[in-house]
Structure formats: structure tokens, C-alpha cells
Amino acid sequence: MKSSEIFNPTLREVPSEAEIVSHQLLLRAGFIRKNSGGVYSYLPLAFRVLKKIMNIVREEMDRAGGQEVLMPIIQPAELWQESGRWEVYGDEMFRLKDRHKRSFALGPTHEEIITTLVKQDVHSYRDLPLLLYQIQNKYRDEIRPRFGLMRGREFIMKDLYSFDIDEDGLDLSYKKMYEAYSRIFERMNLKYRVVEADSGAIGGNESHEFMVMASSGEAEIVYCDKCHYAANVEKAQCPAPEPDGAKRAEARPLEKIHTPGVRTVEDVMHSLAVPAESIVKTLIYWADGEYVGAVIRGDRELNEVKLKNLLGCNELLIADENQVSQVLGVSVGSLGPVGAEFKVYADQEIELMDNFICGANEDGYHLMNVNLGRDFVPETIADLRNAIKGDPCPVCSAELDTTRGIEVGHIFKLGTKYSEAMKATFLDKNGQERPFIMGCYGIGISRTMAAAVEQNHDENGIIWPLPIAPYQLIIVPINTKKTEQMDLAWSIYEQLSGQGLEVIIDDRDERAGVKFKDADLTGIPLRITIGPKALQENKVEVKKRWENETVLIAVEDIVEEINSILSQY
Ligand code: 9G3
């Protein structure tokens, strides 16, 4: 392909809304353009990358026994009512009506559709296991579509659903997917990690996320180098702290102190000259129609996923200052668990704190020498905080470390949540009716493209991993007016394309510097430069995008040299 003919409109200035590097670079290099918030067109270069990712995914899904289907994007409300999820997702679902005023959704995911399909046409254990997948656009009306392809409202997903006779069958399907996913990210040359994850509202009991490592990643991961435990921080358990052997301090009399203007943990620390570890903070949430309070140590972060799972609620929203003062008659800075009008859920660390400080549920006052049990009894004591670096590993007790990643794959054991709700059953060996045992497995195809950029770039642009690069190689003749340069460029082009390599030839009448800049921005992994000096010695220059050095290669050896590099990456 000639550079002059590729439709990759580059930008000098990136729109300021592009907050992360993948969004900036994909826009600048002419890979994507925005149509509306969170909705993008994929230009030729991007579509080539997407097709490469899809091909790898297809090959591995097929290898694992998956069969590809294509299901409707338009989904009738009735199916979502059957599963009980029509009301659950609220405004996140794109909803529409047909001319008969019947309600539909633009598919955010396909559990309901696939369960119906299988229910209608699969009736016997002999037809199981069954693994069906598709690669398709999905629609979710995110409150704040952000980060370009990372959190779009329309995005491309591969979703596979497994149907098994029993739990053992599900375990096997799940294992196959786990392995297939590992191969997929391996084959794309991405640095990734598999972590334990929360299965959230989707139901079911086991779940792993595949994370592409990147410092900009939204997901915080805790991991243990000693035993290989790794989990999303949302999921990572904090083992109950051991009373450290030191004698517990004697409970001192409760004391109410006047603390005008003292609102935050920091304020308390400064005004009373105490460490955060001796303070307890209270957070008020609106949980399915009720205000609840969560209490944790002053220096800790509350884990909303853990709280949500503990409460078993659908909706969990932090209450804002106005709600708190209106409903509880006290400002957020003075909240506390003693004499509270709301149910109190305490993190397990609170149990080990003696004589701590917290709000008095009265504006401008705090309590000192508070003790759990004597002064208040929580509804429940549970693990409610985020794990942090240095915490003991829940498996082997070594020190945990933290890092960041981008969730590109997620696999779930669903069990019978959908098959029971939708009465999807088969007859087992004994002629008994049983619900299908299901799993679901997703890969964000468009997000993977963005994650690859997030992980592989430098100050000059993208550095595509070879297996998913839009083209593998670009040939840059320094001066397109010199026939000997152009002749050689085309000769190398023909030889390499003839082998099936995807090659660009930069035939534009531009300065060499401009061509190099564009090649770097676009991220083409290999570059062959044909310039007058080297050519005198019958040589050309080879540069790997991910290294700084260039090497001179004799013209007659160039094809072999390129093949040798390609076989290594
Ligand atoms: C919805 C909306 C948003 C959603 C869902 C449903 C997330 C929803 C979870 C999943 C689970 C798996 C198949 C592929 C792998 C992931 N956001 N989820 O179910 F209606 Cl608006 O999608 N689905």
C-alpha cells in the first residue's frame, strides 16, 4: 500500500478531551474519529488492527471448541423481563420502541438472547456441552463515556456462552476459556495478568479478569510474588487482622469534645495531634431505599464492592452532604457510629481499635475513647476496606504489592441464574429435567486495541506489537525523485509483499524527517530506509520501532534479515 493512498488523516493538535495516551495517539495518527460521545468510526488502519485481534480471538475460540454465531443487536424487552434484568440497568440500557410501541434494548450483552436460543433448540444432555460465541457491537449508555475506546457507548466485544450438564462440565469449559484467553493475550505479545475478580451483579461464583498491564489502567491489582495470588483490589480479601499480642488498652471513659470546624480525618489529626490510625470515619450510603453507614479506620479506603456484596443491594450510592444533613440532621464531618440512626457496618479492623476518635453525630463535636461493643454494636463486622501494598497475602501471608491494569477480558461461572429464571432446561441421562449450567466469557476487542497502545508507545507515537500491527513494515525512500531509490524501494516492496507481508511504501514527496515522524506516530514495527549514502555501498537501513539503533543491511540480504526479525517477535 502506498502512503499517499492510505486514509489516515493525522492531526497536529489533539482535542483536549483526549485524556489518555491511547485516545490521543489513535486520534492523532488517524486511526479513529468520534461521531458522538463514546461512539467512534474505525478508519482503515484501526480496522486492520481490529481484524487482526478478531482473527486471533476466533482461532482460539474455535480451537477451544467454540462455534461462531451472530445474534441480534435489537433485543425485545420481554426477554429481559423474564430474566428480571429489564429494571436493573436503568439508564445504562439504550432503550427504543418499534412502531407498535413495543420496547426493545440495544444489546448491552447477550445472556438473555443466547439462553432463549438454546432453550428453544437444545433438549438433551447429548447436545452438551455447547460453546457459542459471537463478535459484535455492544451498547451501554455510560454516564460519562471517557478515555476514547476504553469506555465507549458502542464497542466491539467477543462474547462466548457455555452450556453444560453439571458443575464439572462448567469447570472444564471455564478452564478451556481460561487457557484460550491466556493464549490470546500471549499471541498478541501483550504483557498481561490474570486476577481473581468480583462477579458483581451478574451472579455466579467464580470469575477472573485478564488485565493488560499499564500504569494508566483503571483497575488496581494486588498480587503476591511468593505464591502468585493476584486479584482486582475490588475483590482482594483482607485477612482479619491478628490481635498483635500486645495487650489491649483499657477502655477509658467516653468523652465528648468541642471541635468547631473540624471535618475531615486530616482536620482531626491536626487539631488533636493524633495519627489517622486512631480515628474512625463514617461514610453514608443510599442502599436500595435505605441510608446505611460504613465505618473504617481513618487511613483506609472503603471498598464499595465489598459493601455492596455484604448488603446484597442493587444500588449503592454515596450520600452527598446535603442528603446527609437533611436526613440525619448532622453534617458529614461529624458523623459517627455511636447513637447512630442508621445501621452501622464496621470494617473488621475497628474491632481491634481501642479508645478511638469519631464524629459525635452532633455538629462541631467529636467523641474520644470510643470502643466497639461498649459504645455501639454494629449490624455486621466484615472485611470492608481496600487491600493495599504491604498487606498480608490472603493465601501465604507474604507482603502484597500493587500495580495497575486495563481489564480486557472477563470470565464468569454463572451457574443456573439465567437458565432457572428463563426456564431453560434439558433432559439428563435419567430423563430428568435440569437447568443448563452456564458460563459467560467476554473480550473487549476495541478496548484491547486501545490497551495495546496504552502499553506500547513512546513520546513519538504508537509501537504496535507485531501480531496486531496494521502493517508490519514501512519502506521509506528518502527522495522519491531519485529513480534508483524508488526502483529499489519497489523491488523490496514486491519481494516482501509477495511473501504475504503487509508493507507500506512511503511514496510521498515529503522531507525524510516528516516521513520518519509519521512512521513513528503510526507505530509500524519495522522500517527500511533507502537513502543515497547507504545505497552507494548497496546497503539499506533497518530500524525496529521499539529500539533506537538502526542497522545497515546489504540489499541482497534484506529479505532474509526481515524474515529473521519477524520470526523472533
Ligand atoms: C446491561 C447493561 C450493562 C451491563 C450488563 C447488562 C455488564 C451486564 C455484565 C456482563 C457479563 C458478561 C457476556 C460476556 C462477558 C461479560 N454491564 N454486564 O450484564 F443491561 Cl446496560 O456483560 N456478558
Side-chain angles (χ1 to χ4, degrees), residues 75 80 85-86 88-95 105-112 138-142 155 157-161 181 199 201-202 407 409-412 414 418 439-443:
Q75 308 187 358
W80 287 79
R85 297 210 298 169
W86 183 250
V88 174
Y89 282 95
D91 288 341
E92 200 184 336
M93 258 193 168
F94 275 106
R95 293 160 203 264
L106 294 184
T109 175
H110 278 69
E111 279 79 9
E112 280 77 1
K138 296 278 185 280
Y139 298 84
R140 295 180 186 175
D141 195 357
E142 300 285 344
F155 56 98
M157 187 199 268
K158 183 287 302 179
D159 43 328
L160 184 143
Y161 305 86
Y181 275 39
S199 37
I202 175 121
E407 179 195 343
H410 201 157
I411 60 177
F412 301 80
L414 293 172
Y418 295 89
C440 69
Y441 316 84
I443 292 183

Side-chain angles (χ1 to χ4, degrees), residues 28-62:
R28 258 182 71 200
F31 280 67
I32 60 169
R33 284 295 181 263
K34 185 174 93 169
N35 288 87
S36 60
V39 180
Y40 292 85
S41 290
Y42 305 111
L43 277 47
L45 294 178
F47 196 43
R48 292 181 74 97
V49 174
L50 291 172
K51 283 185 282 189
K52 296 231 165 138
I53 296 173
M54 290 189 235
N55 277 342
I56 292 173
V57 169
R58 271 203 184 94
E59 282 177 17
E60 295 304 330
M61 291 298 102
D62 292 347

Side-chain angles (χ1 to χ4, degrees), residues 9 67 77 86 148 152 218 332 343 353 446 448 480 500 515 526:
Q67 300 178 60
W86 183 250
E218 266 196 297
V332 282
K343 284 183 189 158
M353 292 172 70
S446 39
T448 298
T480 48
K515 293 183 177 188
L526 299 176

